[in-house]
């Protein structure tokens, strides 16, 4: 990350990260094993490369005017997820000596080879404003705009606001005589919305190539619809109200927290049953609430 303070109270920060996961599996079952004897030796190699790239840019400004304290933050983040996979498999080897290092030496009638790749992106714009007065009245407001490539064009963006207020009533003068006993007292009220886009690629229809056509004695590759997408899928949204009370006694030797909340999740991302005449058992939809 990089930080710079161009003026007093303003912090500009750029954060970059990468999370990389690479796996490779190599396997050979020799003729001395039950399965290997049946296949006259079986070899396979599979590898996967999973990467997560992250960029975050933020500007944070802090200002104090008398008893008033302000803190404002705006930012942008972008995240890219990629995955690549390759696999190969063969059998019927003349010797166990090659192990998995020479798949081409197998005499399999139909050696297996496969590969795939996926890519998804998440972008966000966000802002937050904090205000306190005499360290006893507190207000926080935030707004997020999140976009996900998991949804089709026109449905990718969701907007999620939140606001919270707090009152440290133990800072009030009329409670000063009780501070030896009641060391902390805070009343909280908040409302917020959050989104869920964790549906993978269910918004899109996919076609697969498979060996599902026989002409004469030959197996010919064909194309078929393997996933029925829903291009009107959108964000699942959770809305929550919360009221809380924090109490501390005898210099925080005893503390208590009381919370009441009401949370409603709408447009749930769930698999819905389809008529079998469609050729599919289910498809992802926004249905119901909790």
């Amino acid at each position: 990350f990089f930080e710079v303070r161009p003026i007093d109270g303003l912090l500009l920060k750029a954060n970059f990260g990468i999370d990389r996961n690479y796996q490779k599996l190599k396997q050979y079952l020799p003729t001395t094993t039950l399965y290997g004897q049946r296949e006259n030796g079986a070899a396979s190699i599979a590898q996967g490369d999973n990467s997560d790239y992250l960029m975050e840019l933020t500007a944070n400004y802090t200002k104090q005017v008398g008893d008033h304290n302000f803190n404002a933050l705006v930012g942008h983040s972008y995240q890219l997820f990629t995955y690549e996979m390759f696999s190969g498999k063969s059998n019927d080897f003349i010797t166990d000596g090659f192990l998995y290092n020479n798949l081409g030496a197998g005499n399999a009638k139909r050696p297996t080879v496969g590969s795939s790749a996926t890519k998804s992106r998440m972008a966000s714009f966000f802002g937050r404003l904090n205000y306190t007065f005499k360290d006893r009245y507190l207000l926080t407001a935030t707004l997020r705009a999140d976009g996900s490539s998991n949804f089709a064009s026109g449905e990718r963006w969701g907007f999620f606001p939140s606001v919270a207020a707090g009152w440290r009533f133990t800072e009030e003068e009329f409670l000063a005589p009780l501070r030896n006993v009641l060391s902390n007292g805070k009343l909280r009220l908040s409302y917020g919305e959050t989104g869920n886009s964790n549906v993978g690629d269910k918004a899109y229809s996919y076609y697969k190539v498979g060996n599902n056509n026989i002409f004469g004695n030959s197996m010919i590759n064909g194309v078929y619809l393997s996933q029925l997408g829903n291009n009107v899928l959108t964000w699942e949204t959770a809305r929550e109200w919360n009221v809380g009370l924090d109490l501390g006694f005898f210099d925080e030797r005893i503390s208590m927290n009381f919370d009441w909340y009401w949370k409603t999740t709408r447009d749930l991302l769930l698999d819905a049953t389809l008529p079998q005449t469609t050729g599919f058992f289910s498809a992802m939809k926004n249905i119901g609430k909790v």
Side-chain angles (χ1 to χ4, degrees), residues 25-29 35 42-46 88-90 99-100 103:
L25 172 66
K26 298 179 286 186
Q27 178 178 272
Y28 183 75
L29 298 175
Y35 182 83
S44 63
I45 298 177
K89 183 178 180 181
S90 187
L99 300 177
Y100 40 72
L103 296 183

Side-chain angles (χ1 to χ4, degrees), residues 5-59:
R5 297 180 183 272
I7 60 174
D8 186 39
L10 178 61
L11 174 64
L12 305 179
K13 184 175 181 179
N15 181 53
F16 304 92
I18 177 173
D19 187 0
R20 191 79 179 270
N21 186 335
Y22 177 79
Q23 295 179 327
K24 190 170 186 179
L25 172 66
K26 298 179 286 186
Q27 178 178 272
Y28 183 75
L29 298 175
T31 54
T32 55
T33 65
L34 182 62
Y35 182 83
Q37 185 181 41
R38 186 167 64 243
E39 297 290 320
N40 199 26
S44 63
I45 298 177
Q47 64 185 43
D49 192 348
N50 198 349
S51 298
D52 176 1
Y53 303 90
L54 173 66
M55 177 191 71
E56 290 180 330
L57 306 174
T58 58

Side-chain angles (χ1 to χ4, degrees), residues 1 3 12 46 65 76 123 135 152 157 163 173 195 210 224 235 245 284:
F1 69 91
E3 290 183 347
L12 305 179
V65 181
H76 167 61
D135 200 31
W157 287 93
V163 61
E173 291 300 324
Y224 64 96
W235 289 79
L245 176 64
M284 188 69 68

Side-chain angles (χ1 to χ4, degrees), residues 175-208:
L175 285 177
L178 299 179
R179 286 174 186 167
N180 289 334
V181 177
L182 184 62
S183 52
N184 178 52
K186 181 180 179 182
L187 183 64
R188 297 176 279 107
L189 173 64
S190 65
Y191 170 80
E193 298 182 9
T194 57
N196 173 32
S197 62
N198 188 23
V199 291
D201 56 5
K202 298 297 185 178
Y204 303 97
S205 294
Y206 278 104
Y207 291 83
K208 279 188 177 181

Side-chain angles (χ1 to χ4, degrees), residues 206-213 222-227 280:
Y206 278 104
Y207 291 83
K208 279 188 177 181
V209 177
N211 302 118
N212 54 356
N213 297 282
V223 178
Y224 64 96
L225 183 64
S226 64
Q227 177 175 293
F280 296 88

Side-chain angles (χ1 to χ4, degrees), residues 18-280:
I18 177 173
D19 187 0
R20 191 79 179 270
N21 186 335
Y22 177 79
Q23 295 179 327
K24 190 170 186 179
L25 172 66
K26 298 179 286 186
Q27 178 178 272
Y28 183 75
L29 298 175
T31 54
T32 55
T33 65
L34 182 62
Y35 182 83
Q37 185 181 41
R38 186 167 64 243
E39 297 290 320
N40 199 26
S44 63
I45 298 177
Q47 64 185 43
D49 192 348
N50 198 349
S51 298
D52 176 1
Y53 303 90
L54 173 66
M55 177 191 71
E56 290 180 330
L57 306 174
T58 58
N60 193 353
Y61 183 69
T62 302
K63 183 70 173 179
Q64 182 174 356
V65 181
D67 293 327
H68 304 272
N69 289 279
F70 301 89
N71 178 267
L73 180 142
V74 294
H76 167 61
S77 68
Y78 180 82
Q79 203 161 7
L80 172 65
F81 307 90
T82 63
Y83 177 72
E84 295 182 0
M85 182 277 292
F86 170 81
S87 65
K89 183 178 180 181
S90 187
N91 65 334
D92 195 10
F93 291 89
I94 60 175
T95 176
D96 289 333
F98 293 126
L99 300 177
Y100 40 72
N101 298 309
N102 192 355
L103 296 183
N107 294 307
K109 293 181 180 180
R110 293 192 62 81
T112 302
V113 62
S115 63
S116 66
T118 62
K119 179 186 294 185
S120 63
R121 295 170 295 275
M122 174 80 75
S124 299
F125 298 90
F126 49 88
R128 183 188 69 217
L129 176 64
N130 292 331
Y131 167 75
T132 62
F133 176 67
K134 291 187 175 181
D135 200 31
R136 68 182 67 165
Y137 307 112
L138 307 96
L139 179 66
T140 299
T142 66
L143 177 63
R144 292 186 61 91
D146 294 322
S148 172
S149 65
N150 286 350
F151 302 119
S153 179
E155 304 290 345
R156 291 177 174 170
W157 287 93
F159 300 91
F160 308 104
S162 68
V163 61
W167 175 35
R168 285 200 179 97
F169 51 84
T170 46
E171 298 298 318
E172 301 289 354
E173 291 300 324
F174 64 84
L175 285 177
L178 299 179
R179 286 174 186 167
N180 289 334
V181 177
L182 184 62
S183 52
N184 178 52
K186 181 180 179 182
L187 183 64
R188 297 176 279 107
L189 173 64
S190 65
Y191 170 80
E193 298 182 9
T194 57
N196 173 32
S197 62
N198 188 23
V199 291
D201 56 5
K202 298 297 185 178
Y204 303 97
S205 294
Y206 278 104
Y207 291 83
K208 279 188 177 181
V209 177
N211 302 118
N212 54 356
N213 297 282
I214 300 177
F215 294 93
N217 295 323
S218 300
M219 189 79 75
I220 306 300
N221 283 340
V223 178
Y224 64 96
L225 183 64
S226 64
Q227 177 175 293
L228 187 62
N230 181 358
N231 60 10
V232 295
L233 273 183
T234 189
W235 289 79
E236 176 183 293
T237 303
R239 301 174 174 89
E240 181 173 339
W241 287 93
N242 178 264
V243 177
L245 176 64
D246 303 328
L247 298 174
F249 301 93
F250 307 109
D251 199 20
E252 300 304 299
R253 289 181 174 89
I254 300 174
S255 61
M256 298 180 182
N257 304 95
F258 303 91
D259 280 278
W260 174 90
Y261 70 90
W262 181 267
K263 181 178 180 180
T264 304
T265 304
R266 300 178 183 271
D267 298 324
L268 295 169
L269 293 168
L270 296 173
D271 264 325
T273 302
L274 296 179
Q276 294 188 13
T277 53
T278 64
F280 296 88

